[in-house]
Amino acid sequence: MRQPVMVVLIALLVSGCALLDVARSGPDPTGAPSAGATSTATPAIAGDVMAIVNGVRLTRGDLEQRMAVIQVVAWLTSGARTADLDESLQVDKWIDSELMVQGAAQAGIAASDDDARTEISKMLAAAPATSDELNRQLALGGATFDDLVRYEARELTVRRFSASDAFAAGSEIERSTKLSTWLVRVRASARIEKPSQRASVAMAGTYAGAVAPEFRLRGIDGAEHALSELRGQVVLINFWATWCGPCRNEMPAIQATYDAHAGEGFVVWGINDGEESALVAPYLQQLKLTFPVMLDRDSRVSRLYRVYALPTTYFIGRDGVIKQVAVGEMSGGSLDATVKKLLR
């Protein structure tokens, strides 16, 4: 797990970052529905509807208001507004936040407006800033103090849910892993709709049913490669690092699957997260790995694919659409069975 502490995962969500926007089946600790429902893109549901999560709608007005408040929270906590926010990315982040809020509701966890006001007062005191200055910043973005209170109550609810007994474990590392796994599984079971101009066109995303986002990386061989070059083949993208024990454990199975199916239109890309070639090359030689390895030195692609736990593996079909996502160590049997199914 990269940065294996619970507070990192919670902070990412509170700051507006989406967490583990991927799909995998299995039970979850809070009693949410089992996986099986698919995330879908539909024709425009309504003129200003940006997304629907289990019946809860995000309108364009909601999104603009949320983005304005996020900017103010950034000003309040760091003294400066964030760079221009990407609208599409913010929709995906709201989807993850909504899933967490719904999980909290199922667990009977919530933060009140009074709780939110108390938290805002603490942020003002720490800034330091005055209420008048805060209100001026809100007005610049067309938001109000009440909008900020609602936003902060939502984020407090997320933090409390993340710290609840549902994710209790023996250590902080185990607890954060449990939260990550829950986020993966509930993403798979949710009914998620995102308007599209054409129903036949899948939308880009990092969950099963979405088109795998395009990226370019330089390989351990020194050449630059683009994911789009692999269209028409079944692709396994495995995010890993040399320090990751489960990554090392599953490498022989990935190599064996690559050896068995490379001649059938199957490609493996191992994406090393955040390390230099001087460290990666000896590791590949030691494990006798021959599949292509890309170097994501600044973790740019890992962030693009919402990777918060290593290893994370994406299975992409010949059409460029993500078919399955696995977080954690894979066994050789399940890995080979998944690849065979996709090659049919």
Side-chain angles (χ1 to χ4, degrees):
M1 167 84 71
R2 186 190 320 133
Q3 300 292 338
V5 289
M6 192 71 162
V7 67
V8 173
L9 291 174
I10 299 171
L12 284 166
L13 188 56
V14 169
S15 66
C17 290
L19 292 175
L20 289 168
D21 187 11
V22 291
R24 190 186 186 192
S25 62
D28 75 81
T30 64
S34 60
T38 54
S39 303
T40 59
T42 66
I45 303 166
D48 67 342
V49 174
M50 308 297 289
I52 302 176
V53 177
N54 295 327
V56 177
R57 296 187 174 209
L58 175 74
T59 67
R60 177 167 292 281
D62 296 331
L63 178 64
E64 291 175 353
Q65 181 187 88
R66 177 179 172 83
M67 291 168 68
V69 172
I70 289 172
Q71 292 276 23
V72 172
V73 171
W75 165 81
L76 191 58
T77 55
S78 69
R81 287 172 173 255
T82 63
D84 290 340
L85 299 174
D86 180 83
E87 183 177 282
S88 177
L89 183 59
Q90 289 303 314
V91 171
D92 285 339
K93 291 176 178 179
W94 173 84
I95 290 172
D96 285 329
S97 174
E98 180 59 32
L99 290 172
M100 291 288 284
V101 169
Q102 292 179 15
Q106 290 178 359
I109 296 171
S112 68
D113 286 354
D114 285 343
D115 294 333
R117 292 187 184 95
T118 298
E119 190 66 22
I120 293 168
S121 295
K122 292 178 181 177
M123 288 191 288
L124 276 170
T130 66
S131 296
D132 287 343
E133 289 171 333
L134 173 58
N135 285 324
R136 280 196 294 271
Q137 290 292 327
L138 288 164
L140 285 173
T144 67
F145 185 76
D146 286 343
D147 295 332
L148 175 59
V149 169
R150 285 190 290 271
Y151 174 87
E152 189 57 32
R154 181 186 183 94
E155 301 310 312
L156 280 173
T157 297
V158 166
R159 289 203 294 269
R160 291 178 180 180
F161 179 57
S162 301
S164 69
D165 291 341
F167 305 106
S171 68
E172 191 174 8
I173 293 175
E174 291 169 342
R175 188 180 181 89
S176 62
T177 300
K178 198 169 185 179
L179 172 61
S180 299
T181 302
W182 179 86
L183 286 165
V184 170
R185 291 173 176 172
V186 77
R187 189 66 173 80
S189 68
R191 299 187 306 279
I192 299 172
E193 300 173 83
K194 294 171 66 176
S196 172
Q197 295 301 311
R198 295 169 54 194
S200 60
V201 178
M203 301 182 70
T206 52
Y207 51 88
V211 174
E214 170 70 342
F215 64 86
R216 301 183 70 89
L217 281 177
R218 195 167 298 279
I220 194 74
D221 60 358
E224 188 173 82
H225 304 273
L227 179 63
S228 56
E229 298 169 1
L230 305 182
R231 185 63 65 91
Q233 302 181 80
V234 171
V235 182
L236 182 155
I237 295 178
N238 177 256
F239 290 88
W240 64 281
T242 60
W243 51 261
C244 168
C247 299
R248 187 183 186 93
N249 293 342
E250 71 177 5
M251 282 299 183
I254 294 176
Q255 180 66 51
T257 303
Y258 175 69
D259 291 340
H261 303 289
E264 304 170 35
F266 172 62
V267 179
V268 171
W269 272 13
I271 299 185
N272 176 268
D273 182 16
E275 298 178 307
E276 296 294 331
S277 58
L279 183 63
V280 175
Y283 180 95
L284 302 180
Q285 294 173 358
Q286 181 184 30
L287 294 185
K288 297 181 173 58
L289 303 178
T290 62
F291 53 79
V293 169
M294 310 298 152
L295 299 176
D296 188 19
R297 290 186 177 90
D298 57 3
S299 299
R300 172 179 54 85
V301 176
S302 291
R303 289 194 297 271
L304 174 65
Y305 274 72
R306 314 278 180 84
V307 176
Y308 295 103
L310 295 178
T312 291
T313 304
Y314 284 82
F315 295 89
I316 303 171
R318 299 182 190 276
D319 55 359
V321 172
I322 296 170
K323 306 301 182 182
Q324 183 175 321
V325 183
V327 178
E329 183 179 333
M330 298 179 294
S331 68
S334 63
L335 174 57
D336 192 68
T338 299
V339 171
K340 284 180 178 177
K341 182 178 178 180
L342 296 177
L343 284 171
R344 291 175 188 159

